[in-house]
Amino acid sequence: MSAPTRPAEEQAIRRDLAAAYRLMARDGMDDGISTHISARLPGERFLLNAFGLRFEEVTADSLVTVDAEGEVLDDPTGLGINPAGFTIHSAIHAARPDVGCVLHAHTVAGVAVSCLEEGLLPLNQWAMQFHQRIGYHDYEGIALDLDERRRLVAHLGSHNAMIMRQHGLLTCGNSVGDAFLRMRDLERSCQTQLAAQATGQPLRHASLELCDHVANQYDKWNDSDYGLKLAWRAELRRLGIEAPAQQHRAQETTGSTVA
């Protein structure tokens, strides 16, 4: 049975979202069939993974389409979605029209830092990008209560990253690539903090001025979009989805594109 014909914009979003799932699995940031990545589609719809598939099993055509109320509009697998995934993702997509993708993860390092009273410390370059740019949401149990959505949104605010206390990590982005790359930096920040703390040696803290400077540098990098696109293309090449880098250089010169 052939895959359904979809608009080019939706096909690209599906490709990127499926790639993000597989990259999360490849980098050890998945958790069995738990956690979720969602992407916004035109018409107040969004895509989620089918509940029961491991991240490495997710494909562009297996993604489930739901509306803002959690009603399944299209489910090629018949598996439905994780209700907790709907609670978390629907809240943010409804409140933040600027967000194209929401990524939630239960990484060991992320959960460990979420258990620390001090949370994430701006100890290194990765972590400094989140200086005054990360929210904290207190744990309320498995996210099945729809009333929790308003608190999730309030605690995220205008940030694109959040530590969910005693639970895990969450990142947002204008695109799937934006959210994935931010999650990887957040996870690395947590890993590095735990490694530094495990030495038992005094930690070297950066000045507030330096943290502000680095965070602003990251803001400009993300706003430029160019570096972000290059970084996401590089990730897609890990999966064999994108053309080699030298082919991109030729295309930019000639104006041609990759199908």
Side-chain angles (χ1 to χ4, degrees), residues 13-14 36 73 81 91 126 188 204 218:
I13 294 172
R14 283 178 171 271
H36 349 270
L73 303 177
I81 61 170
W126 285 321
R188 286 173 170 174
R204 183 176 181 86
Y218 268 94

Side-chain angles (χ1 to χ4, degrees), residues 150-202:
R150 60 185 179 85
R151 292 181 291 278
L152 278 163
V153 168
H155 294 154
L156 178 64
S158 61
H159 302 310
N160 285 320
M162 185 162 67
I163 290 180
M164 303 175 75
R165 296 285 194 182
Q166 299 161 300
H167 186 174
L169 305 176
L170 184 144
T171 59
C172 306
N174 294 326
S175 65
V176 173
D178 187 11
F180 171 80
L181 294 166
R182 183 170 289 111
M183 175 59 74
R184 189 171 62 186
D185 279 358
L186 182 55
E187 166 64 6
R188 286 173 170 174
S189 300
C190 293
Q191 290 180 1
T192 305
Q193 176 175 322
L194 294 173
Q197 290 173 322
T199 67
Q201 298 298 308

Side-chain angles (χ1 to χ4, degrees), residues 215-234:
N216 287 329
Q217 287 181 312
Y218 268 94
D219 288 344
K220 290 178 182 178
W221 165 270
N222 289 329
D223 288 344
S224 71
D225 199 40
Y226 180 68
L228 178 66
K229 286 181 178 178
L230 288 178
W232 181 238
R233 281 180 177 178

